[in-house]
Amino acid sequence: MCGIVGYIGDQEAAGFLLDGLEKLEYRGYDSAGIAVFNGTNIRVEKCVGRLEELKQKIAHDMPGGAMGIGHTRWATHGRPSDRNSHPHADESGNFVVVHNGIIENYLRLKEELIDKGHHFASETDTEVVAHLMAEHYNGDFEATVKKVLSIISGSYSLVFMCAHEPDKLICTKQDNPLVIGLGEGENFIASDIPAIINHTRKTYILSDGELAIVKKDSVWVQNRDGVPISKKVFEVHWDAEAAEKGGFDHFMIKEINEQPRAVRDTMTGRVAKDETGIVFEELNWTADEMSAINKIFIVACGTAYHAGVVGKYYLEQLARIPVEVDIASEFRYRSPLVDENTLAIVISQSGETSDTLAALKEAKRLGARTLAVTNVVGSSIAREADQVVYTYAGPEIAVASTKAYTTQLVTMLMLAIYVGELRGALPAERAQELCRGLHRLPEQIEDMLSDMDSVKTFAQKYGYSEDVFFIGRSLDYAVALEGSLKLKEISYIHAEAYAAGELKHGTLALITEGVPVIALATQYDVYEKTLSNIKEVKARDAVVIGLALTGDESIAKYVDHVIFIPATDKYLAPILAVVPLQLLAYYAATTRGCDVDKPRNLAKSVTVE
Ligand code: F6R
C-alpha cells in the first residue's frame, strides 16, 4: 500500500516529509512525491522510482515552507510514471491531495468533470479528488472537503491542502489507516506510525468517517456532519522495527490481519453496491466473446497455482467452461492444446515470476486470448497479457503469500460470476446471492481474526510433529493444498494435502497414532463423504482437527478438536477457511523459532526458471 505523510509547524516541511517517506520505504512503492506551501503557492515535486531519485531531483532546490504533504505510491490506477505519482493537484494548483486506497466511482466523476472542461494530467483515481475540490470550492476549505467526501465512494485515507487556507491540513479515512502525531507547535500526519515516531509518540488513531482539521497548534476531530469527537491520545511504545510491522511480531501476521482491507479493496467497484452482479470495467467482455471461449487454462506457480485450483471449481461450476489448471513450469513444455478459442489466465502476485511469464508468452504464441491476475501494476506479466485484472492486496513483504492468495480467490470468484452471467450459465438470483456473500467477507474475516486463540493453542501443541496431513474434498481439497504449503514452507514440518477420498488409495498407512490430520469439512454437498474419510483416519488413531462451518453440530462427534469459520456459501468458504490455516502455519513456525518472514530457500519473486 501507498504511504502518506503530512506536516504543519514552524520547521521546513520537506525535511520531515522526506524523512517520513523513507521510514515507509519498507512497505514497497514505485514512485514518490511531496507538495509544500511556500507562502504563495503549493509546489509539487514527484517522480517515478526510488525516493533517492526524488531527493536528488530537488537536492539543489528544496521546496521551502512549513506545511506539506508527501506520498510513496504503489500503483493501482495507472502504471508507475511521473505524472501518475502523488501528490495530485487540480489545474490551478491550489488544491493538492495525497491518497491511499481506491475511489470507486472515479471514472464516472472524471467523465463529468471532463464535460465541464477539466483537463486531467494523470490516469489516477486520485486526481479526480483534487479536481472535485476545485469544482466545488465555495471559499470554505472544510465545507468543500465535506462536499467532495459526499460525492466520492470507495476506500481511502486522504490528506488535503488548499493554497487559499494555508494554516491547516485536512485529513480523513475510510477503510485505510491514518494517524495524527501530536507535537509541540507542530503536528504530523502519516498512514503508518514509523513515519512519525522520531518526532512524537503521542497520536490520534483516526477511525472511519472521522475528519481532522490539523493546524500547527491544534487538532480538531469531527465526524462528517461536523459533530466533534473527543479522541483519546494513543501513546506509541513500539520501537522502530515493531512500528514497521504495525506492532505485530512479523510481516506475515500483519499481512494476515490486513486481509479484510485487501479483500474489500479488491471488490471495490467490482461487486455492484446493490449486489446485482459483477462489473469489470477493465475487461468489458461481451456475451458473444464469452460464448466463443470453449476452454480456459489457468497457469501459475506455488500459492498462485493453488488459487488457480480454486478458480477451476469456480469457473467450471458457475460459468460452465472446461478449465485446466497447470503449474507454469509444466505448461510450457507439454504442448498444451491451445487455440484462439482458449482463454489463458495467469495468476501471479509479483507479476514477475519467470515460469509464469514464459507460460503466458507460450499461450499467446499458440493463439490464446490472455488475461493476467496480478498484484503489481505495470509488472512484466501485466504488460505481456492482453488484459489485466489487478488484485488490490497492497505490497506483500513476508515471503509466504497470504493476503495475495485471498485476494486472488476473491478475483477468481468475481470472474466466474461475471463470465457465468455473460454466458447465461448463472441465474441472476444466484449471482446476487454470491455478491451478498462477497460483501460480508471482510467483516467475517475480521471476526475470525479476533477469535483465533484456539488455533494458536493447536499450533503450539502440535508444532513439533514431524508430519501433518490436510484432507478435504472438492473446494476443501483445493484449500488443503494451500494450508499444507503454508505450513511446510515456513515451519519446515512435512505436510501433505490429500483429496480425502484418495487417502485409501495408497497413503493411509502413513496415518498412524498421534499424526495430526487437519480435516476440512465446509462443503455441504460432500459433507457426509468427508465424514467417512475422517472416520478412516480416526480409526488409525490420528489426531483430527476439523475445520467446519459455524452451526455444524455433527462434526465434534468425529474429531478431536474443531475450528469453526463463519457459516457461508460453499463458494465463499475457501476464502474464510484458509485464514485459520495461515494462522496455524504462522504459530507452528513461531513455536519452532523459525524465521517466519524469510523462510529458507524461498524468494519473494522467483525470476529464474
Ligand atoms: C508461497 C509463495 C510462492 C509464490 C510463487 C508464485 O507462499 O509465495 O509459492 O506463490 O512463487 O509467485 P507469484 O505469485 O509472485 O507469481
Side-chain angles (χ1 to χ4, degrees), residues 278 280 282-297 315 318-323 339-345 368-371 386-387 389 412 414-426:
I278 300 291
F280 273 114
E282 59 275 65
L283 298 182
N284 237 339
W285 286 341
T286 61
D288 283 349
E289 279 175 287
M290 280 307 101
S291 304
I293 299 291
N294 58 22
K295 185 174 191 178
I296 296 179
F297 277 95
L315 281 158
L318 299 173
R320 306 308 292 161
I321 310 182
V323 180
D339 61 25
E340 65 281 5
N341 295 321
T342 305
L343 171 66
I345 305 177
R369 172 181 193 145
T370 58
L371 169 70
D386 298 330
Q387 286 181 293
V389 168
M412 294 311 289
M414 291 189 300
L415 261 180
I417 299 171
Y418 177 64
V419 177
E421 285 213 279
L422 280 175
R423 286 171 62 92
L426 183 66

Side-chain angles (χ1 to χ4, degrees), residues 3-26:
I4 282 181
V5 289
Y7 175 85
I8 185 160
D10 291 322
Q11 309 291 318
E12 287 296 325
F16 165 78
L17 299 176
L18 292 171
D19 180 60
L21 291 179
E22 196 177 309
K23 299 287 182 307
L24 301 182
E25 276 195 302
Y26 70 94

Side-chain angles (χ1 to χ4, degrees), residues 301-304 347-351 353 356 399-401 485-486 489 606:
C301 303
T303 288
I347 308 177
S348 172
Q349 185 286 127
S350 63
T353 301
T356 310
V399 167
S401 189
L485 174 63
K486 270 311 71 97
E489 71 185 345
V606 184

Side-chain angles (χ1 to χ4, degrees), residues 46 84 185 346 525:
K46 54 188 188 176
N84 286 338
V346 294
D525 35 12

